[in-house]
């Protein structure tokens, strides 16, 4: 009932930057949590950065100081600005949203976008 569409992935050399976008089919104001996970090759999916209640932000220790999550309510879009990229940032990045009550309750995932960082 809620679609999330990621974009902005690609190939970049170490030290470069990318900005990921996640466009939602419904207002992100109604979402209790929204943000980004990633899954490196042959590893488990892991938290990158999320908004939670009250627009509090949480970041993985590995990306603090390099990545910034932001949102534009008018565009129903969440962004992930990734700077100073490292090869270990290579992964499929997934947008996710959580709605905890109402007719659209559930957890939603985008299709993923590949980020590859080379030395």
């Amino acid at each position: 009932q809620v679609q999330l569409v990621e974009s902005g992935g690609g190939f970049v050399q170490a030290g470069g930057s990318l900005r990921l976008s996640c466009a939602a089919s419904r207002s992100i104001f109604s979402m209790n949590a929204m943000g980004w996970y990633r899954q490196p090759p042959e590893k488990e999916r892991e938290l990158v950065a999320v908004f939670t209640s009250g627009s509090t932000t949480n970041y993985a220790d590995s990306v603090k100081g390099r990545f910034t999550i932001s949102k534009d309510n008018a565009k129903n879009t969440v962004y992930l600005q990734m700077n100073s990229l490292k090869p270990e940032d290579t992964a499929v990045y997934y947008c996710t949203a959580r709605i905890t009550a109402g007719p659209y309750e559930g957890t939603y995932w985008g299709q993923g976008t590949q980020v590859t960082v080379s030395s």
Side-chain angles (χ1 to χ4, degrees):
Q1 291 182 313
V2 178
Q3 290 184 318
L4 305 173
V5 180
E6 304 102 328
S7 62
F11 297 87
V12 65
Q13 290 189 324
S17 299
L18 288 172
R19 189 181 76 160
L20 306 183
S21 299
C22 174
S25 63
R26 295 186 179 275
S27 175
I28 63 175
F29 178 80
S30 65
M31 298 176 185
N32 301 99
M34 193 170 185
W36 298 89
Y37 281 65
R38 68 186 181 187
Q39 187 165 15
E42 300 182 344
K43 295 182 179 180
E44 295 183 352
R45 190 171 299 185
E46 63 186 18
L47 171 74
V48 178
V50 293
F51 287 108
T52 57
S53 298
S55 295
T56 300
T57 56
N58 291 332
Y59 292 91
D61 288 342
S62 60
V63 307
K64 287 180 179 177
R66 300 188 299 119
F67 292 11
T68 303
I69 188 170
S70 61
K71 58 184 177 180
D72 187 333
N73 291 333
K75 296 181 178 179
N76 291 336
T77 300
V78 173
Y79 305 94
L80 184 68
Q81 179 66 46
M82 305 186 294
N83 298 326
S84 302
L85 283 161
K86 304 175 181 179
E88 51 262 44
D89 295 319
T90 295
V92 178
Y93 284 70
Y94 296 92
C95 182
T96 187
R98 177 72 174 175
I99 302 174
T100 57
Y104 302 104
E105 188 278 334
T107 301
Y108 299 88
W109 295 90
Q111 81 285 356
T113 185
Q114 176 70 46
V115 172
T116 302
V117 184
S118 62
S119 300

